[in-house]
């Protein structure tokens, strides 16, 4: 999978995470699911991250990750308080609840465009 961009899903809710995994598998995207504590390590070890989908509660540590990696587009899904992430231009979209294939595919396309526009 070297060179293949993939999606990081940060979610502690098993049911919601399973739904996202099902949709990502269906549309053929490569992805990894991790806890909030592990997401920073993915950025250190891997430079092929297409996007990070943040779900549920947003902690100050997650806000710091978004701030620390402006070259990575972030998507949010089923967020308790999206105002915490509103100031960041690299939060490029919100996935609706319930999640739908067409919207996810469109948002993933936006993330590819985001990377293509980077210098």
């Amino acid at each position: 999978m070297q060179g293949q961009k993939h999606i990081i899903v940060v979610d502690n809710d098993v049911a919601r995470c399973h739904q996202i995994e099902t949709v990502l598998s269906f549309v053929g995207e490569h992805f990894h699911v991790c806890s909030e504590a592990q997401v920073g390590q993915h950025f250190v070890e891997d430079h092929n991250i297409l996007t990070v989908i943040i779900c549920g509660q947003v902690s100050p540590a997650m806000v710091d990750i978004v701030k620390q990696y402006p070259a990575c587009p972030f998507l949010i899904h089923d967020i308790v308080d999206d105002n915490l992430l509103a100031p960041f231009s690299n939060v490029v979209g919100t996935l609706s609840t319930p999640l739908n294939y067409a919207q996810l595919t469109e948002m993933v396309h936006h993330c590819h465009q985001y990377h293509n526009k980077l210098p």
Side-chain angles (χ1 to χ4, degrees):
M1 192 162 74
Q2 187 166 349
Q4 175 70 42
K5 288 204 178 286
H6 57 275
I7 297 168
I8 303 294
V9 179
V10 181
D11 197 354
N12 293 326
D13 181 279
V14 175
R16 184 176 52 217
C17 194
H18 179 68
Q19 181 188 31
I20 294 172
E21 289 176 325
T22 302
V23 175
L24 289 173
S25 293
F26 181 80
V27 297
E29 289 294 332
H30 295 277
F31 64 93
H32 299 285
V33 176
C34 70
S35 69
E36 186 177 291
Q38 298 167 315
V39 72
Q41 194 63 32
H42 278 278
F43 279 102
V44 171
E45 296 173 354
D46 187 358
H47 301 287
N48 287 320
I49 297 171
L50 172 62
T51 186
V52 176
I53 300 175
I54 305 168
C55 306
Q57 189 71 39
V58 178
S59 72
M62 197 67 232
V63 173
D64 287 342
I65 293 282
V66 173
K67 187 185 307 182
Q68 189 176 352
Y69 296 99
C72 181
F74 288 80
L75 298 173
I76 56 177
H77 174 61
D78 204 16
I79 293 293
V80 175
D81 183 9
D82 59 358
N83 290 329
L84 295 171
L85 298 172
F88 302 102
S89 61
N90 59 330
V91 176
V92 298
T94 302
L95 298 169
S96 64
T97 303
L99 194 62
N100 75 60
Y101 298 105
Q103 184 192 37
L104 179 63
T105 302
E106 181 182 337
M107 290 293 170
V108 166
H109 178 71
H110 287 308
C111 292
H112 280 292
Q113 289 178 324
Y114 186 94
H115 283 284
N116 290 340
K117 291 179 181 176
L118 293 176

